[in-house]
Amino acid sequence: MNKLNPLMRAAGLMSVAVLLSLQGCGLLGGGGRGDDRGELVGVPGREGFVQTIPHGMVAIPAGTFHMGQTDQDVAATQVNFNKQVTISGFFMDETEITNNEYRQFIESVMTDSIPNAWDQDYVMQELYPDTTVWVNDFSHHMGDPMMEYYYSHPAYDDYPVVGVDWEAAQIFSLWRTNYLNDYRASKGEFMMPKFRLPSEAEWEYAARGGRDMAKYPWGGPYIRNRKGCLLANYKPRRGNYYDDGWTYTAAVAQYFANDYGLYDMAGNVAEWTEDAYSASSVPVVWDLNPIYIDENEPRKVVRGGSWKDIAYYLQTGTRTYEYKDSTRSYIGFRCAMTYLGRSSGSEF
């Protein structure tokens, strides 16, 4: 082990002594400036941050649950074995992002009144909902009326936006973050955490609504209630699409919310999550706020099932995926936001 030259060590000690002798001049933060009386009290002016629940979101409390398949693995995928996982508190949109909410994003980034408005060709090609999905997703299907009206007509304003790929959902979340925090900055308020897609684990935890090992978000093992009414928008039996009251997507919040106040966590449209897809990711990820990130994996996890899926895909433990640059007539999304700090409980 090399030792410092005695002269070098002496010079270093002298330098430290000189600096300490100068601390009364404030060179090392001394001098008792302001009202702190020379005490270590932290930097003033950073008090008073209260993380409010963003509009349209609900609070999901921290907790532990068993992530994974809760019923028979019909497809024999063996990709979602049970694993106990802990999730921190967060906020989540109570419904899927609607056509009209997404329209606010599109009009905002294209408007000339906003500085540095985005290139309109990029917006139309990459961010604008792909309305042709209603024709391209299904062979020999008269999807032209949906292609023409679903996103553009006010009759569908409260329906979940579709035809948006994973990358566009990421950019929407970035815009939504900046949109909120620009306003807060103008009011002299601290920034809120960013909006983002929920992780797969967060999504499943929220979908169960606090009911560990729940097969469906409403807790029960059946897809109908005691009156025989369907509890989600999906494909009953061999294609009786209208049995649930809707032939395609439904307006958001038409079925009962789960115990966390979240609507349509099963059916209506499936939802993008943040995670890359891997058949072996469940045993690999950590058991505290797990997320599987792989920049080289183009497949992203999709959860919840949709209006065109059978009940198996509506189960809280069923995993599937889609390529991140794919747009579908049955995939939408909702945002999440991390809760900062430990909750007192009143927020939830």
Side-chain angles (χ1 to χ4, degrees):
M1 180 176 178
N2 296 326
K3 296 184 178 180
L4 290 175
N5 184 292
L7 292 176
M8 294 177 63
R9 186 187 306 171
L13 291 174
M14 289 179 64
S15 299
V16 172
V18 170
L19 287 174
L20 291 175
S21 68
L22 293 174
Q23 68 175 331
C25 300
L27 295 182
L28 289 181
R33 294 171 296 178
D35 298 327
D36 58 20
R37 298 176 180 272
E39 301 291 348
L40 184 66
V41 297
V43 177
R46 296 177 59 82
E47 306 84 1
F49 175 73
V50 176
Q51 187 169 353
T52 57
I53 301 177
H55 176 74
M57 286 189 151
V58 297
I60 311 298
T64 300
F65 79 114
H66 288 85
M67 181 178 178
Q69 203 73 39
T70 55
D71 199 6
Q72 180 183 4
D73 186 4
V74 177
T77 61
Q78 298 185 354
V79 299
N80 204 12
F81 295 113
N82 293 126
K83 179 176 184 176
Q84 190 173 32
V85 168
T86 296
I87 301 294
S88 299
F90 64 102
F91 300 130
M92 194 172 195
D93 284 324
E94 62 181 350
T95 70
E96 295 134 345
I97 298 299
T98 65
N99 283 321
N100 207 29
E101 289 172 335
Y102 197 82
R103 185 177 295 107
Q104 182 183 359
F105 159 60
I106 293 295
E107 291 185 357
S108 176
V109 298
M110 291 184 67
T111 243
D112 290 335
S113 62
I114 294 180
N116 304 317
W118 296 15
D119 179 76
Q120 294 194 8
D121 289 338
Y122 171 78
V123 173
M124 295 303 296
Q125 293 173 13
E126 304 295 335
L127 305 181
Y128 195 88
D130 180 7
T131 58
T132 64
V133 293
W134 294 105
V135 175
N136 297 333
D137 280 352
F138 313 105
S139 301
H140 308 293
H141 165 245
M142 193 180 71
D144 289 37
M146 296 295 288
M147 179 179 67
E148 183 176 358
Y149 298 117
Y150 184 77
Y151 179 70
S152 62
H153 200 280
Y156 291 102
D157 274 358
D158 294 329
Y159 286 62
V161 67
V162 297
V164 175
D165 64 22
W166 183 86
E167 294 170 327
Q170 296 280 6
I171 295 174
F172 172 90
S173 301
L174 174 62
W175 166 85
R176 187 178 178 186
T177 301
N178 294 335
Y179 195 72
L180 173 62
N181 283 330
D182 285 349
Y183 171 79
R184 291 179 64 87
S186 71
K187 299 295 183 182
E189 300 174 348
F190 288 108
M191 292 193 305
M192 292 279 277
K194 66 180 181 180
F195 293 98
R196 55 180 174 77
L197 291 177
S199 69
E200 180 183 13
E202 285 177 330
W203 191 97
E204 184 174 329
Y205 175 70
R208 295 183 190 273
R211 298 172 180 259
D212 195 19
M213 301 299 292
K215 182 177 178 180
Y216 294 109
W218 44 87
Y222 305 112
I223 203 75
R224 295 179 184 267
N225 63 15
R226 293 180 180 178
K227 296 182 178 180
C229 300
L230 290 169
L231 297 171
N233 179 20
Y234 76 113
K235 177 184 177 180
R237 294 192 286 273
R238 294 190 177 182
N240 186 5
Y241 291 92
Y242 193 65
D243 197 20
D244 54 38
W246 312 85
T247 50
Y248 293 101
T249 59
V252 297
Q254 297 301 300
Y255 298 88
F256 293 114
N258 71 1
D259 287 351
Y260 284 156
L262 298 169
Y263 295 91
D264 301 319
M265 294 299 284
N268 211 12
V269 294
E271 299 174 15
W272 292 111
T273 69
E274 186 72 27
D275 293 51
Y277 178 82
S278 171
S280 60
S281 64
V282 173
V284 170
V285 296
W286 201 26
D287 53 5
L288 173 60
N289 292 324
I291 186 169
Y292 184 74
I293 301 296
D294 184 353
E295 299 295 340
N296 298 318
E297 175 54 72
R299 298 174 300 173
K300 303 300 178 182
V301 175
V302 174
R303 286 300 203 107
S306 75
W307 59 269
K308 64 90 183 172
D309 290 318
I310 60 174
Y312 168 73
Y313 292 99
L314 273 62
Q315 295 180 23
T316 54
T318 300
R319 305 179 72 214
T320 185
Y321 67 87
E322 185 55 85
Y323 287 87
K324 66 179 183 179
D325 59 353
S326 297
T327 54
R328 298 297 182 191
S329 61
Y330 45 85
I331 298 179
F333 69 101
R334 71 180 79 205
C335 294
M337 174 189 283
T338 301
Y339 180 82
L340 302 181
R342 183 180 186 275
S343 169
S344 64
S346 59
E347 298 88 352
F348 303 101

